[in-house]
Amino acid sequence: MTKKKVILLAQSGEISLDNLDMPFLIRTVSEFTGRYVSTENDDEFSIALSAFAEAVRRYEPERGAFPAFAGLVIQSRLRTYLEREQKQADTVSLDS
């Protein structure tokens, strides 16, 4: 089954996203964070899973390749998460 067919089936709800493309997710998060990512207890990986599901829902084949689109969505969500974490850490350190 082609990746395009899998994405279309996931969009329609006919298949689950579980373990759909774990190596892609792990590689994308690891490259973004610059460290090993645990699939069991890293917030960044959880965010990537959610972003991947969002990318599957929003993907439009006529606009380009899915991996490039999914990578952008994942990186965007991770960037937002890390910026919020940093802002929260800065606020906490000022209050201490």
Side-chain angles (χ1 to χ4, degrees):
M1 185 178 323
T2 67
K3 186 171 275 196
K4 187 173 184 178
K5 178 73 173 165
V6 170
I7 292 166
L8 292 173
L9 289 171
Q11 285 177 329
S12 69
E14 293 181 45
I15 64 170
S16 170
L17 291 176
D18 295 340
N19 300 322
L20 188 58
D21 200 345
M22 296 299 273
F24 171 76
L25 290 169
I26 293 167
R27 185 177 60 252
T28 302
V29 176
S30 291
E31 288 174 359
F32 185 85
T33 61
R35 63 177 175 78
Y36 172 78
V37 175
S38 169
T39 60
E40 298 192 14
N41 60 5
D42 261 328
D43 289 342
E44 290 87 351
F45 187 76
S46 296
I47 290 163
L49 281 173
S50 176
F52 188 82
E54 176 187 347
V56 167
R57 285 190 308 273
R58 294 181 42 211
Y59 177 64
E60 298 173 9
E62 61 277 359
R63 298 193 69 193
F66 177 75
F69 175 71
L72 288 172
V73 174
I74 292 167
Q75 290 174 11
S76 175
R77 298 303 167 261
L78 287 171
R79 189 174 297 110
T80 300
Y81 167 75
L82 293 174
E83 287 171 355
R84 285 183 183 155
E85 287 293 300
Q86 184 61 48
K87 189 176 281 189
Q88 184 176 7
D90 290 346
T91 302
V92 170
S93 67
L94 291 175
D95 291 339
S96 298

